[in-house]
Amino acid sequence: MDTIFALASAQGKAGVAVIRVSGPLALAAGAQLCGGDLPARGTSLRILQDESGERLDEALVLSFTAPQSFTGENTVEFQTHGSTAVVSAVLDSLGRIEGLRMADPGEFTRRALENGNLDLAQVEGLADLIDAETEAQRKQAQVILAGGLGKLAEAWRVKLIRAASLIEVTIDFADEDVPVDVTPEVSELLADVQAGLEKETAGVRIAERIRSGFEVAIVGAPNVGKSTLLNALAGREAAITSEYAGTTRDIIEVRMDLAGLPVTLLDTAGLRDTDDHVEGIGISLARKRAQDADLRVFLAERDEVLDVEMQQGDIRLLPKADLRDDAGDAISGQSGQGIDRLVDHISKVLQNRSAQAGIATRARHRDAMVSALASLAEAQEILKRGPEFYDIAAEEMRSAIRALEMLVGRIGVENLLDEIFSSFCLGK
């Protein structure tokens, strides 16, 4: 296997840069740059030199021997000064060592997967942690990276293996008297796993939203102050405002962090009948995005009827509080009245929904769990038919086990790996 290297910290000038080397020649390459052997595992302060003996930099050097490293291979990390010139010089020197090459995107993490140091769910958790922008995203990614989903899947798998083993014993000794009816225990084991899978499957959509962001649409008739409200919430001029109705024709999106949750605010076109073709397209798009959003904030008079249906948790406020006397449940982006109350309301609604999130965070996870559930439901039905059908029930249990193995990447995910690792940087 090749020995690979790359800058593992961010590109550009910094106080410290981290350059990682992994593979069978890592320790030898590190010794060559440092002018002497490195400890099998530990840290040392060394002068880095190129092949001619010219000083490159003074660096803190960390060495790890397989399998006690991130990749599961011999690994060396150089913590150098973070100038682009130093980084370039060290990378150039590594590139001139025979047997070393620049790493591909995500190759260090891919080796960690292939060497059994991470399962596929943990790899996805690492990607999410790198991309995390809010506290909720960080916490969610840490649970996955720590192996939370893998541990859950393994617990389910152990129970299913136990259930399948009991059934297999009955099949193997069909010609003999089996002193104990295994059906109740098998059924109980399957029901236990089904309950866990159903709970996790139900929480995937919310978990996905924590990872990708909730959408909150501001909805109302033209010229009620939707764009002004968006600008006030964003703290900047994100949307054009004017006294003319129909100014907003496209969806304006603003990304925010509300109470640690990622939220995208949507300013939509004013809802009305129009003969303007372009505005009509914008209104149709506004209706669809508003209906698909996780939460809607309606700006409308008390007796006003809008053709977007209110859903549970939606918020309805009177517009332009600064221009009215009955401002108790009104809001104004112009004056700021009611803004804090609205932000607090949105945050509480989304926090309550986030409490229902499971550990699984992706559509791939949901698909694997749904597949396992379908197999277990079929197995339960087959068990009721009696021992002569136990071989079919056992096969359904094995199908459920395979689905759980796909969940953590043990089998059947080779076609996904290139796509997953392409999102990683070179040094990860």
Side-chain angles (χ1 to χ4, degrees):
M1 177 173 286
D2 294 341
T3 297
I4 57 175
F5 66 92
L7 175 66
S9 52
Q11 294 278 353
K13 187 189 302 183
V16 175
V18 177
I19 298 170
R20 176 180 288 166
V21 185
S22 181
L25 300 179
L27 293 174
Q32 186 171 328
L33 253 67
C34 295
D37 291 339
L38 295 173
R41 182 175 180 84
T43 61
S44 54
L45 187 64
R46 299 294 185 92
I47 302 298
L48 304 186
Q49 300 175 336
D50 63 16
E51 64 272 22
S52 66
E54 182 179 349
R55 176 179 171 133
L56 300 174
D57 194 21
E58 185 176 32
L60 180 64
V61 182
L62 290 73
S63 51
F64 310 86
T65 52
Q68 303 299 318
S69 70
F70 173 72
T71 60
E73 304 172 334
N74 290 342
T75 300
V76 175
E77 291 186 358
F78 302 100
Q79 295 188 8
T80 69
H81 293 96
S83 84
T84 54
V86 167
V87 170
S88 179
V90 174
L91 292 176
D92 286 346
S93 293
L94 288 170
R96 288 193 292 271
I97 297 176
E98 186 176 355
L100 271 65
R101 65 168 175 83
M102 183 70 76
D104 293 328
E107 191 168 4
F108 290 102
T109 306
R110 187 162 189 161
R111 292 190 176 195
L113 173 68
E114 292 170 346
N115 292 324
N117 281 19
L118 298 175
D119 63 36
L120 187 58
Q122 288 177 292
V123 168
E124 292 165 328
L126 178 57
D128 291 342
L129 182 62
I130 293 170
D131 291 337
E133 298 174 333
T134 70
E135 181 66 4
Q137 289 175 323
R138 181 193 67 80
K139 289 181 177 179
Q140 183 184 69
Q142 288 284 9
V143 171
I144 300 292
L145 180 57
L149 185 57
K151 292 172 185 175
L152 198 55
E154 182 59 23
W156 292 332
R157 181 174 172 273
V158 167
K159 290 179 181 179
L160 294 183
I161 289 174
R162 165 70 178 168
S165 299
L166 290 170
I167 291 294
E168 294 286 358
V169 167
T170 304
I171 296 170
D172 291 342
F173 294 94
D175 296 332
E176 303 180 19
D177 292 332
V178 179
V180 178
D181 181 8
V182 301
T183 306
E185 182 179 353
V186 170
S187 184
E188 184 179 346
L189 287 167
L190 298 187
D192 190 31
V193 175
Q194 283 176 293
L197 284 167
E198 287 169 354
K199 178 182 177 182
E200 281 303 313
T201 302
V204 169
R205 184 182 180 278
I206 296 299
E208 279 187 298
R209 282 311 201 192
I210 294 174
R211 185 172 65 85
S212 62
F214 292 92
E215 287 193 347
V216 177
I218 304 174
V219 182
N223 210 23
V224 294
K226 298 186 299 299
S227 297
T228 303
L229 176 59
L230 177 80
N231 290 341
L233 290 168
R236 60 185 177 86
E237 295 296 317
I240 298 173
T241 60
S242 78
E243 69 273 20
Y244 300 106
T247 298
T248 301
R249 298 191 173 196
D250 202 355
I251 304 292
I252 308 298
E253 302 185 8
V254 173
R255 185 84 165 182
M256 297 182 67
D257 180 337
L258 292 184
L261 294 170
V263 176
T264 299
L265 294 173
L266 308 177
D267 177 22
T268 61
L271 303 179
R272 67 172 178 176
D273 294 326
T274 179
D275 295 327
D276 186 311
H277 177 67
V278 176
E279 185 184 0
I281 294 174
I283 292 172
S284 296
L285 180 60
R287 289 193 183 101
K288 185 178 188 312
R289 288 296 296 275
Q291 289 167 349
D292 293 343
D294 300 286
L295 185 67
R296 283 144 294 278
V297 177
F298 290 87
L299 298 185
E301 299 297 334
R302 292 188 178 91
D303 58 351
E304 188 175 355
V305 178
L306 298 173
D307 58 355
V308 173
E309 182 180 354
M310 284 194 70
Q311 301 177 28
Q312 184 177 4
D314 285 352
I315 302 167
R316 181 164 178 147
L317 299 169
L318 297 172
K320 300 185 178 181
D322 53 312
L323 301 179
R324 59 196 314 140
D325 297 327
D326 56 337
D329 56 350
I331 193 168
S332 170
Q334 188 70 39
S335 67
Q337 183 174 339
I339 295 289
D340 290 343
R341 187 168 65 249
L342 174 61
V343 169
D344 185 57
H345 192 159
I346 293 172
S347 299
K348 287 180 178 177
V349 170
L350 297 182
Q351 283 177 325
N352 288 338
R353 294 185 185 179
S354 297
Q356 304 168 26
I359 297 176
T361 60
R362 296 173 182 256
R364 184 187 71 80
H365 303 161
R366 182 180 59 245
D367 292 345
M369 292 189 295
V370 167
S371 177
L373 275 171
S375 295
L376 294 181
E378 189 66 22
Q380 288 277 38
E381 288 299 314
I382 294 170
L383 282 175
K384 298 175 184 177
R385 301 179 192 173
E388 61 270 26
F389 295 97
Y390 278 0
D391 57 336
I392 303 175
E395 181 56 35
E396 291 294 344
M397 294 177 207
R398 286 191 288 269
S399 294
I401 291 170
R402 286 193 293 271
L404 295 179
E405 289 176 337
M406 289 180 65
L407 178 63
V408 294
R410 288 183 181 172
I411 61 170
V413 294
E414 289 78 9
N415 58 327
L416 291 174
L417 296 183
D418 289 340
E419 179 182 347
I420 290 171
F421 288 111
S422 66
S423 65
F424 282 77
C425 61
L426 288 179
K428 206 65 184 175

